[in-house]
Amino acid sequence: MGRVRSNILFCTFMALGVIYDVFTRRIPNWLNGIGLCAALLSAGLIDQWQSVTDAGLGMGAGLLALLPLYAFASMGAGDVKMMAVVGAFVGAAKVLLIAAVSVTAAAVASVAVILVRGELPALCRRYGAMLTHMVVAQEVAYLPPRQGDWAGKRVAFAPAIAVGAIVVVFWRPDWLPFLP
């Protein structure tokens, strides 16, 4: 029964995170804080200290999984903290795979939007120009996207985290036999 309650708390946290991120492009600290408290409390109630230790390790792994993307300004701090909370709920073994599936889902969705909007040629020209400059001038240069292009917009990452969590925790496809 404890695992069911933990899953309900986890799904509630994920749903609230997705809603906030989609509408505001932010995941508030209070939501991540409450989610972390819920994860640690539910871990303590299920298997006491061993689960609390795994939750702490999962939190650290989740934080480290997305921290490089934050460091390169590819995502916000709220997304990184949300992945840390996801790690506290699911443990270290699953959170790294959730992060990988989440990044893949976000990339696929972004490419699909770019294709549908017809912006792929502009994206290819922009990256081609940056590559040419790098080869010719032997220095890295960044050319920003045009005003209004999808590549220049802030995108909600919480839905991708939710997709990763659903795939890894609840769907459990056959190609994930090694997970506990």
Side-chain angles (χ1 to χ4, degrees):
M1 189 63 177
R3 181 60 55 197
V4 172
R5 288 186 189 129
S6 180
N7 284 341
I8 290 170
L9 289 172
F10 178 58
C11 290
T12 302
F13 166 74
M14 292 301 301
L16 290 171
V18 168
I19 291 167
Y20 267 93
D21 201 18
V22 166
F23 287 106
T24 67
R25 299 296 186 263
R26 297 187 75 244
I27 302 170
N29 285 333
W30 64 263
L31 179 59
N32 282 323
I34 291 171
L36 182 60
C37 289
L40 294 174
L41 182 63
S42 67
L45 293 176
I46 292 172
D47 289 326
Q48 284 73 35
W49 290 111
Q50 183 167 348
S51 282
V52 172
T53 302
D54 191 40
L57 292 172
M59 180 182 69
L63 183 70
L64 292 175
L66 296 185
L67 202 56
L69 294 173
Y70 172 73
F72 288 107
S74 296
M75 87 176 27
D79 299 317
V80 177
K81 290 180 260 185
M82 183 177 192
M83 187 60 77
V85 174
V86 168
F89 269 110
V90 302
K94 293 178 184 173
V95 74
L96 296 176
L97 188 56
I98 289 172
V101 172
S102 299
V103 169
T104 303
V108 168
S110 292
V111 168
V113 170
I114 287 169
L115 286 172
V116 167
R117 290 176 55 128
E119 296 177 9
L120 186 61
L123 183 73
C124 291
R125 281 192 302 275
R126 189 165 66 89
Y127 276 92
M130 286 188 281
L131 182 62
T132 301
H133 180 82
M134 188 171 69
V135 170
V136 172
Q138 294 184 345
E139 67 181 14
V140 177
Y142 176 73
L143 298 174
R146 297 177 307 194
Q147 185 75 21
D149 275 1
W150 179 260
K153 294 184 188 250
R154 291 183 65 192
V155 179
F157 190 72
I161 295 174
V163 167
I166 290 167
V167 167
V168 174
V169 176
F170 297 111
W171 181 37
R172 306 272 317 233
D174 294 337
W175 49 269
L176 296 175
F178 54 87
L179 287 177

